[in-house]
């Protein structure tokens, strides 16, 4: 089983829609989870950390489910500018940062 | 405050040539790392460093060397370029080895083509 798995998409949604991505991880000892955003041909940028109790930043909500070993990202009221690839990231047991392959989101007018 | 600076942005090499990708950060970050990104593969760790004078291998180190003589600089050397090394290379840095809630700051990337 891969250390991290993401649905690559693409997710095509209209403006204003709510969209959710999941990311599963295989190592139950993993800690420190993040969501990164990557625009086409650009570098990844930190979107938000994921805390055990769940956290929200404006239209974005991140959650962690340790029992089922997945993290999620919910985007409400999607904007055209949200179109990007979203990467889930975590630290594995060896202390290395592991990236998922990314989920592509395309928000249409 | 420039963040993480990578040079060059684009490079074409012939098979067998060597070159050095440069990475510099001005944030006094202890932790620096190199990733490569290939379609469908995500980002894969090549080498990393937890401080000046300390380096270690990541997931895909073969064909690459690194050194960390200063806190600011972390160059990546391709010893003998091969077409399989055609990729986008990202350098990243963080305040500490774990990076926790700080996350990582990435350079803008180097697009390398080996022909």
């Amino acid at each position: 089983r891969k250390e991290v798995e993401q649905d690559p998409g693409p997710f095509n949604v209209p403006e204003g829609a709510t969209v959710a991505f999941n990311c599963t991880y295989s190592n139950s000892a993993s800690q420190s989870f993040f969501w990164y955003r990557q625009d086409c041909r650009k570098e990844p940028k930190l979107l938000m950390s994921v805390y055990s109790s769940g956290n929200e930043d404006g239209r974005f909500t991140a959650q962690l489910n340790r029992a089922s070993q997945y993290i999620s990202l919910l985007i409400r009221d999607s904007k055209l500018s949200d179109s990007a690839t979203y990467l889930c990231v975590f630290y594995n047991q060896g202390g290395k940062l592991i990236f998922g392959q990314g989920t592509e989101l395309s928000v249409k007018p | 405050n420039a963040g993480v600076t990578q040079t060059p942005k684009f490079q074409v090499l012939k098979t067998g040539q060597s070159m050095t990708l440069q990475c510099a950060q001005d944030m006094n970050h202890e932790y620096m790392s190199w990733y490569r990104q290939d379609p469908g593969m995500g980002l894969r760790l090549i080498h990393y460093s937890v401080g000046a004078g300390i380096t270690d291998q990541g997931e895909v180190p073969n064909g690459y060397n690194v050194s960390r003589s200063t806190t600011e600089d972390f160059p990546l050397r391709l010893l003998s370029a091969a077409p399989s090394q055609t990729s986008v290379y990202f350098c990243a840095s963080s305040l500490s080895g774990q990076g926790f809630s700080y996350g990582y700051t990435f350079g803008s990337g180097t697009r390398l083509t080996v022909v």
Side-chain angles (χ1 to χ4, degrees):
Chain A
R1 182 183 173 184
K2 290 182 180 179
E3 284 194 273
V4 57
E5 293 196 61
Q6 282 187 261
D7 182 343
F11 284 62
N12 296 305
V13 303
E15 270 188 295
T18 296
V19 61
F21 312 132
N22 280 346
C23 171
T24 59
Y25 60 95
S26 60
N27 189 336
S28 59
S30 299
Q31 51 186 321
S32 295
F33 300 88
F34 308 90
W35 282 102
Y36 276 72
R37 169 191 172 129
Q38 186 173 27
D39 293 291
C40 186
R41 302 179 68 80
K42 297 275 182 78
E43 72 273 22
K45 292 185 178 178
L46 179 64
L47 179 65
M48 59 196 302
S49 302
V50 185
Y51 302 125
S52 297
S53 55
N55 48 300
E56 191 173 301
D57 183 1
R59 298 182 292 109
F60 298 84
T61 300
Q63 294 194 316
L64 166 64
N65 185 319
R66 286 195 182 274
S68 301
Q69 294 183 206
Y70 73 87
I71 64 173
S72 64
L73 178 67
L74 180 78
I75 305 175
R76 292 182 297 277
D77 188 23
S78 300
K79 311 292 184 190
L80 296 176
S81 57
D82 293 334
S83 296
T85 297
Y86 292 84
L87 308 169
C88 73
V89 185
F90 67 95
Y91 281 95
N92 71 358
Q93 205 164 15
K96 296 186 178 61
L97 203 62
I98 304 297
F99 286 81
Q101 293 181 19
T103 297
E104 184 183 345
L105 171 66
S106 179
V107 182
K108 307 292 187 184
Chain B
N1 190 334
V4 179
T5 302
Q6 282 185 243
T7 56
K9 293 192 182 302
F10 302 94
Q11 183 70 49
V12 178
L13 287 179
K14 293 183 178 179
T15 297
Q17 285 185 316
S18 62
M19 79 159 294
T20 299
L21 308 185
Q22 301 292 344
C23 176
Q25 53 89 10
D26 60 0
M27 299 172 285
N28 203 30
H29 284 177
E30 300 164 355
Y31 189 91
M32 297 185 74
S33 55
W34 277 100
Y35 289 85
R36 59 177 289 174
Q37 186 173 33
D38 303 292
M41 299 292 291
L43 284 103
R44 292 182 292 168
L45 181 65
I46 304 172
H47 285 286
Y48 66 99
S49 168
V50 299
I54 306 169
T55 63
D56 206 347
Q57 295 181 350
E59 182 185 355
V60 288
N62 292 340
Y64 308 95
N65 272 355
V66 292
S67 60
R68 185 92 180 271
S69 56
T70 66
T71 300
E72 294 78 19
D73 300 298
F74 191 44
L76 178 72
R77 296 185 194 85
L78 278 71
L79 308 174
S80 177
S84 60
Q85 294 179 304
T86 294
S87 187
V88 180
Y89 291 84
F90 289 105
C91 179
S93 73
S94 175
L95 266 175
S96 68
Q98 291 301 309
F100 289 110
S101 61
Y102 301 121
Y104 281 72
T105 301
F106 283 82
S108 57
T110 296
R111 283 156 183 81
L112 176 68
T113 302
V114 182
V115 298

